[in-house]
Amino acid sequence: MAKATGFLLLLTIVFLFDVEPLFAQGESKAVDPDSPVVSFGPTPREALLVGEKDAGRLVIIDPETLEIVARIPAGGNLHELATDGRYVYIGSNLPGITVVDVIEQQRVEPIDISAFGNPHAITFAGTHLYIGHEIQRLITRYDPETKKFDEVIGLPGGSHMLLITPDEQRIFTASSNGSLIAIIDRVSNERGQKKLLFTTFPGDTRMEGMALSPDGKEFWTLNMNAKQLSIINMPEKKLVCTISFEGGLNNRIKFTKDGKYVLMNELQGNELRVWDVATRKEFKRIDVGAGGEGIFIDPVRPIAYYAVSAGNKLVVIDTNTMTIIKEIHDLQNPDGMDWFRAK
């Protein structure tokens, strides 16, 4: 019994040693979700929204001045978020989906998702909020106008992250518990009946990062454990290239606005890696000082925002020169981001 106990203890220590570096750990606990909002002014008509996982706050940043406008308590372990131009929908440790009125800078009534299971991926497309329930292998669609769920999609694998085209006709997801890349198209049969068409590709046991090129012709997925980038030609729906790479742990990728480069994070390293799309080769590494996770591309400017989670800061990068133009500090484990454009 003593030997078995000692062996289990050793396994536990090894597990903690391996896993802990994956997640940036802030020194402060999440603020009370009912604590006052810290506001320095009104929300601009366009703003960058950032989630602080450790502090449990939604941070509103003015993209013109790159200054923080407000910090809104929204629940601990704040992860993914998405906005519809008035509200931002957030996954946190509070029940359901936390909802914040971005204009009023305050929390409102949450969305009950108890019938479907805990969320991970959250994104807004067209007129609907899409939620990925990874463990349950489901995607649910919520209509903010009717305040009802109007679609539930079962998946062959989980949905760690979601990517949906603005017209809502195509859904991309890659599973971390099903080893599958899935592309889901809304199609109509000969009788005009609508249905979902699934196209799947084999993937890694841990896939999280996904990116669609601005012209919609290439879909890239990041195979975290295999250390590979899979590239799918969308007109042909064919896996055309697999790029192997060396390095640490990577789980996020994004195309730059011009489509020339793909940015890839490093959870444990100090660099943001840049891939040249045309040559399929690594182009550059940008030293940001610590490990990061979330990457977001400014839809207006040639700028990328990189959440350097382990460094408790947001790094702003000029994607024309691939140089750092500013660092926004005092963010406790930032990660998920979205772009607010007032309706």
Side-chain angles (χ1 to χ4, degrees):
M1 177 65 73
K3 288 184 178 180
T5 302
F7 180 69
L8 288 173
L9 178 61
L10 177 61
L11 281 179
T12 301
I13 292 171
V14 170
F15 174 80
L16 290 174
F17 179 79
D18 285 342
V19 172
E20 185 177 7
L22 299 183
F23 307 98
Q25 302 294 321
E27 296 180 358
S28 301
K29 294 182 180 180
V31 299
D32 184 337
D34 294 319
S35 60
V37 171
V38 177
S39 178
F40 304 102
T43 301
R45 291 197 59 80
E46 289 193 326
L48 176 69
L49 307 178
V50 183
E52 289 182 279
K53 279 198 284 195
D54 285 355
R57 294 180 298 204
L58 172 70
V59 179
I60 302 174
I61 295 175
D62 187 331
E64 289 289 344
T65 64
L66 295 175
E67 298 293 334
I68 293 174
V69 173
R71 296 178 191 260
I72 305 167
N77 196 30
L78 191 158
H79 202 276
E80 298 304 309
L81 54 87
T83 181
D84 62 3
R86 177 59 191 264
Y87 301 101
V88 59
Y89 306 93
I90 304 167
S92 72
N93 62 4
L94 295 178
I97 300 295
T98 300
V99 184
V100 172
D101 186 320
V102 182
I103 300 296
E104 298 296 329
Q105 299 181 0
Q106 65 180 13
R107 283 205 340 267
V108 296
E109 183 181 358
I111 301 170
D112 181 6
I113 59 168
S114 57
F116 309 108
N118 291 333
H120 187 278
I122 299 175
T123 189
F124 202 93
T127 59
H128 293 93
L129 177 70
Y130 288 80
I131 304 166
H133 308 268
E134 184 172 20
I135 295 174
Q136 292 76 17
R137 297 190 176 189
L138 295 175
I139 298 172
T140 56
R141 188 175 80 168
Y142 179 80
D143 186 337
E145 289 294 322
T146 63
K147 295 190 176 181
K148 293 181 179 179
F149 287 90
D150 61 11
E151 185 176 47
V152 179
I153 302 172
L155 296 171
S159 56
H160 193 83
M161 304 298 288
L162 288 173
L163 196 159
I164 298 156
T165 54
D167 62 5
E168 303 184 61
Q169 296 306 298
R170 179 169 281 170
I171 300 170
F172 300 85
T173 186
S175 65
S176 59
N177 61 358
S179 302
L180 283 176
I181 302 163
I183 300 171
I184 308 166
D185 287 295
R186 299 184 187 277
V187 298
S188 298
N189 61 19
E190 295 175 353
R191 291 174 292 180
Q193 297 171 320
K194 295 182 179 180
K195 64 176 184 178
L196 298 174
L197 175 64
F198 286 74
T199 305
T200 61
F201 302 86
D204 190 15
T205 53
R206 188 170 184 180
M207 293 181 294
E208 297 187 13
M210 306 184 302
L212 182 66
S213 62
D215 61 10
K217 293 182 179 180
E218 288 191 351
F219 176 57
W220 289 39
T221 62
L222 177 56
N223 304 298
M224 187 172 179
N225 288 338
K227 298 190 184 304
Q228 292 179 334
L229 288 163
S230 298
I231 302 174
I232 296 170
N233 178 292
M234 286 309 303
E236 299 178 6
K237 282 192 181 177
K238 181 180 179 181
L239 180 63
V240 293
C241 184
T242 300
I243 305 171
S244 297
F245 60 87
E246 299 294 331
L249 293 168
N250 319 85
N251 69 340
R252 295 290 185 271
I253 51 174
K254 291 285 184 181
F255 275 89
T256 54
K257 193 171 180 291
D258 58 12
K260 293 182 179 179
Y261 302 102
V262 166
L263 308 180
M264 183 171 74
N265 76 319
E266 283 275 8
L267 280 167
Q268 293 177 308
N270 296 328
E271 298 169 319
L272 178 67
R273 300 171 71 165
V274 183
W275 292 87
D276 185 294
V277 172
T279 64
R280 315 290 203 210
K281 293 181 179 179
E282 189 172 328
F283 170 72
K284 186 176 182 178
R285 297 190 183 190
I286 303 170
D287 188 350
V288 296
E293 192 159 6
I295 305 169
F296 189 81
I297 304 301
D298 191 310
V300 180
R301 306 159 187 81
I303 283 176
Y305 304 95
Y306 184 34
V308 183
S309 310
N312 293 322
K313 63 184 179 181
L314 185 71
V315 173
V316 185
I317 295 168
D318 183 325
T319 56
N320 285 333
T321 60
M322 292 299 170
T323 56
I324 297 172
I325 57 178
K326 184 167 182 174
E327 294 187 355
I328 301 172
H329 293 269
D330 300 322
L331 297 173
Q332 294 180 37
N333 193 0
D335 183 8
M337 290 175 274
D338 201 6
W339 189 261
F340 173 79
R341 181 176 283 122
K343 288 184 176 179

